[in-house]
Amino acid sequence: MRHLHLIALAAPIALAGCGAPSASVTPFIASVGIDGDLAVGDGAGTSVASNFNDLGLDDNEAVVGGLVRLNFGGAELSISGYGVEFAGTGTATGDFEYQGSIISAGTDVASDVRLNTARALFTWDIIPLDGLDLGLGFGATLLDLDLRLQEIGGAGTTIESEELIPVPLLAARAAWTWGLVDLRADAGGLVVEYDESEASIFDIGISASVDLFGVGDLVIGYKTMKIDAEYSDNDALIDTDLDLSGYYMGVQFSF
């Protein structure tokens, strides 16, 4: 799976220079839903966006992902990633035009959105208090986004775009203990422009963990990611607003 390759490539770079940190590994499963819209135009003018729900992408999908945390001194490195695919049938509410191919508003379409994401955050403690950790730092997210629309019936016109989007991040984290429960929140976000393209990402997660009979820690959390991307693909302008959110559950193993 491509998102695992992205993590594998990012990890050696991010880990360079680290000593012998303590570590935790958390495989997880999640139920992720999508919201937002998509517009594809020839670049000559403004195109009307179609909502993902109208395109038939209104079901939550089960995904598998992983999170690795390394703690050393007053700093922490976290690396995470997952991949998700949404597919369904719906109706275009705006015209899609790509390299001379046109899917007109009101046309029934088979829709497919695939997103693989890998993220690395490096943060330093700024308030080392008993039972409370607050940290600030930086990081990066790598987004691998595939979009595909196919007209149902008619000429069977297909529009497809693939884009790899790197986004640097400013990051923050907070962790504290409440009785037997360890609570945590982390966030990253930034707006960037590159190669006549623009992308923004805001990624927030909260979680609670509790000891699981000495085997590991049971982790339950909620994650939301908002992605706005506007880029050129073969002279076509792709403008998409992706909101991904959902609950996840996993087991954390510490070393």
Side-chain angles (χ1 to χ4, degrees), residues 1-115:
M1 298 176 67
R2 278 184 293 180
H3 67 286
L4 296 179
H5 294 313
L6 295 177
I7 298 172
L9 289 173
I13 298 173
L15 292 176
C18 294
S22 62
S24 66
V25 177
T26 309
F28 63 80
I29 57 174
S31 176
V32 178
I34 187 173
D35 199 3
D37 49 53
L38 171 67
V40 181
D42 62 5
T46 303
S47 53
V48 177
S50 293
N51 187 275
F52 286 122
N53 287 336
D54 293 330
L55 295 174
L57 307 180
D58 52 4
D59 292 331
N60 281 29
E61 298 295 335
V63 304
V64 177
L67 168 64
V68 176
R69 288 198 179 100
L70 300 175
N71 294 279
F72 42 95
E76 178 185 281
L77 172 68
S78 67
I79 302 172
S80 61
Y82 68 89
V84 62
E85 179 176 3
F86 300 93
T89 57
T91 303
T93 54
D95 292 345
F96 293 99
E97 185 171 354
Y98 181 83
Q99 291 188 306
S101 299
I102 300 176
I103 297 178
S104 301
T107 301
D108 292 336
V109 293
S111 312
D112 190 283
V113 174
R114 286 171 287 168
L115 176 68

Side-chain angles (χ1 to χ4, degrees), residues 109-134:
V109 293
S111 312
D112 190 283
V113 174
R114 286 171 287 168
L115 176 68
N116 297 307
T117 175
R119 186 189 75 174
L121 298 179
F122 189 81
T123 54
W124 296 269
D125 288 345
I126 58 172
I127 304 180
L129 300 177
D130 186 26
L132 173 65
D133 290 321
L134 296 177

